[in-house]
Amino acid sequence: MKVLKVQPIKDGTVIDHITPGNALKVLKILGIEGKEGSIISIAMNVVGKRGKKDIVKIENRELKAKEVDKIALIAPNATINIIRNYEVVEKHRVSIPSQIIGIVKCPNPNCISNSNEPIESKFVVASKKPLKIKCYYCEREPNMEEIDSLII
Ligand code: CTP
Ligand code: ZN
């Protein structure tokens, strides 16, 4: 039997197949605190076709490309579903950008990207699975378990 755990939405975005336990990090990336007044539904550790997952549903909001890139860093299997009038009109799997520019702060305080120089942070992907990224400037590899605290 298929049990409906969270209501369908009329218009907005459903972020599905989020790495279990990471829904709150997705909300943090999107700056959602719940005081905006729009309807937000969160399901954590629900069992989907491919095991456990989290889901975040946001009514009346579409995501910007930069927001989707940030979500990819903490939920590499997530899908972004655009809902209009109850129908899924678009479905995209997030993907890790090959160069991660201006969305993650380098954890090395001495890195030139943290200096007063006008240099945007930049990381290259050292490994896709498991995801490992490396600072283009100082080669520091942030601990991916704490990556959400470095997302700008
Ligand atoms: N959804 C929703 N409101 C709608 C339509 C869909 O909240 N009006 C949600 C569904 O509950 C699901 C996601 O959006 O979490 C994607 O919907 P759909 O593509 O219909 O589901 P699946 O086929 O199960 O998706 P996938 O193949 O990506 O697992
Ligand atoms: Zn660096």
Side-chain angles (χ1 to χ4, degrees), residues 18-20 45-48 50-54:
I18 299 168
T19 310
N45 301 312
V46 296
V47 180
R50 289 177 290 269
K52 279 189 183 181
K53 63 174 183 179
D54 285 5

Side-chain angles (χ1 to χ4, degrees), residues 28-116:
K28 187 183 157 206
I29 285 171
L30 299 177
I32 293 170
E33 294 186 321
K35 292 183 178 163
E36 302 79 13
S38 53
I39 303 171
I40 312 291
S41 318
I42 304 157
M44 296 182 77
N45 301 312
V46 296
V47 180
K49 282 169 277 183
R50 289 177 290 269
K52 279 189 183 181
K53 63 174 183 179
D54 285 5
I55 311 169
V56 169
K57 304 189 183 192
I58 311 159
E59 304 234 29
N60 302 317
R61 175 156 167 191
E62 297 199 358
L63 306 187
K64 301 192 177 85
K66 239 182 186 180
E67 293 172 328
V68 175
D69 285 349
K70 292 176 183 178
I71 292 169
L73 295 175
I74 58 137
N77 299 317
T79 54
I80 310 291
N81 299 273
I82 315 278
I83 315 293
R84 291 199 190 114
N85 200 19
Y86 293 104
E87 300 280 331
V88 178
V89 294
E90 275 180 51
K91 184 189 290 280
H92 308 282
R93 174 102 178 250
V94 300
S95 64
I96 306 289
S98 57
Q99 286 198 325
I100 298 158
I101 298 170
I103 60 174
V104 176
K105 180 180 152 64
C106 181
N108 172 7
N110 299 319
C111 179
I112 191 161
S113 67
N114 287 323
S115 70
N116 290 329

